Amino acid sequence: MADWSPETYLKFEDERTRPARDLVNAVPLANPSFVVDIGCGPGNSTELLVECFPAARHLGIDTSPAMLDKARARLPNVEFRLADAATFKPDAPPDLIFANAVFQWLPGHLGLFVHLMDELAPGGVLAVQMPDNIAEPSHALMREVAASGRWADKLRDAARAPLPPVRAYYEALRPHCRRLDIWHSIYNHPLADAAAVVEWVRSTGLKPFLDPLDEGERADFLAAYTEKVAEAYPPLKDGGVLLRFPRLFIVATR
């Protein structure tokens, strides 16, 4: 895919940061020495970690140079590296590996979680949050429009795979933990209108559908998708809409 857009992503910074804040608040550590933020994006999640654990060494990694540039400007005293979550190996055992909305992009992340547990310092924590919204209209309609247009062949493999069931995470991680918490939270984000829903997903879930298209196809895809989103998210009495957004949380203590 083309590089991610920090500007588009940060249009909804408060809403996107809320689950990261909830995840930080669930971390059962008081004074970690080394904290790694995997998929740090523009640094909004790293900023929460620095505020919560100011004495720790912090490292943020991401595959997006644009996101890392934004993160470095935001937190000039924090170390950020270009690295892939699938192959990252820390230079010392972290006390906390934190991952907000990144591992949903990696279909084989169950095995990767087990590997990351082994990388932790004794008593360390793996804290993960992932969108679990593939069945929501915002994402189901992406697949519907992709399959019904002239771009169907280009977008045959664009859809993100659904997350495994909670049982699979529990059974994979439980042998490696002394404590394991797994839960879902459903956020209901009030947005201005259906166009705002499209703008929200444009920098994340919609990106794999738009990147393979030429300019004309992209405009037509967005028009068709926006029309369907407007039907699926009817206006509230105040004129806005509610974006329902389920997310899966995992906090595993080694």
Side-chain angles (χ1 to χ4, degrees):
M1 292 192 294
D3 201 358
W4 300 85
S5 168
E7 291 74 23
T8 305
Y9 182 89
L10 289 172
K11 286 181 180 178
F12 302 96
E13 180 175 357
D14 287 347
E15 293 87 351
R16 294 191 192 282
T17 304
R18 193 176 307 160
R21 183 177 295 109
D22 291 344
L23 183 60
V24 171
N25 290 337
V27 171
L29 294 173
N31 297 297
S33 297
F34 181 26
V35 174
V36 176
D37 187 6
I38 293 183
C40 62
N44 54 314
S45 56
T46 317
E47 188 172 62
L48 292 175
L49 292 165
V50 171
E51 290 172 356
C52 190
F53 308 116
R57 172 197 170 196
H58 291 269
L59 170 65
I61 70 163
D62 206 284
T63 57
S64 166
M67 288 288 195
L68 289 171
D69 286 345
K70 186 69 73 173
R72 291 183 181 112
R74 183 176 192 145
L75 298 166
N77 295 321
V78 172
E79 180 184 3
F80 292 98
R81 293 183 199 165
L82 186 69
D84 190 333
T87 57
F88 172 70
K89 185 173 179 61
D91 54 22
D95 301 288
L96 172 60
I97 296 177
F98 188 90
N100 181 62
V102 60
F103 281 112
Q104 72 275 9
W105 297 108
L106 301 177
H109 60 252
L110 259 177
L112 186 54
F113 287 175
V114 173
H115 165 73
L116 290 174
M117 291 297 300
D118 292 337
E119 294 288 341
L120 287 167
V125 172
L126 173 66
V128 175
Q129 181 276 126
M130 294 177 288
D132 195 8
N133 58 348
I134 289 297
E136 293 299 307
S138 57
H139 285 64
L141 293 173
M142 295 177 196
R143 301 190 296 274
E144 182 179 320
V145 174
S148 61
R150 64 186 187 278
W151 40 68
D153 287 341
K154 285 186 179 181
L155 302 182
R156 192 177 308 277
D157 299 318
R160 192 178 82 228
L163 297 183
V166 169
R167 179 189 180 102
Y169 290 105
Y170 184 89
E171 292 185 339
L173 287 169
R174 189 65 189 93
H176 305 270
C177 309
R178 61 182 177 84
R179 176 178 173 181
L180 177 60
D181 294 317
I182 306 175
W183 72 96
H184 278 88
S185 291
I186 299 175
Y187 298 81
N188 290 279
H189 299 295
L191 303 180
D193 50 27
V197 175
V198 178
E199 192 67 13
W200 174 298
V201 298
R202 187 166 182 165
S203 67
T204 52
L206 195 57
K207 193 173 185 297
F209 293 88
L210 298 180
D211 282 356
L213 305 181
D214 62 38
E215 186 175 348
E217 291 171 332
R218 192 175 298 122
D220 290 346
F221 184 101
L222 280 170
Y225 175 68
T226 301
E227 182 179 352
K228 289 183 177 294
V229 166
E231 295 174 359
Y233 294 89
L236 302 164
K237 289 181 179 179
D238 65 3
V241 299
L242 279 178
L243 176 63
R244 183 180 184 273
F245 203 132
R247 294 179 183 268
L248 176 66
F249 292 77
I250 301 171
V251 176
T253 303
R254 182 175 179 180

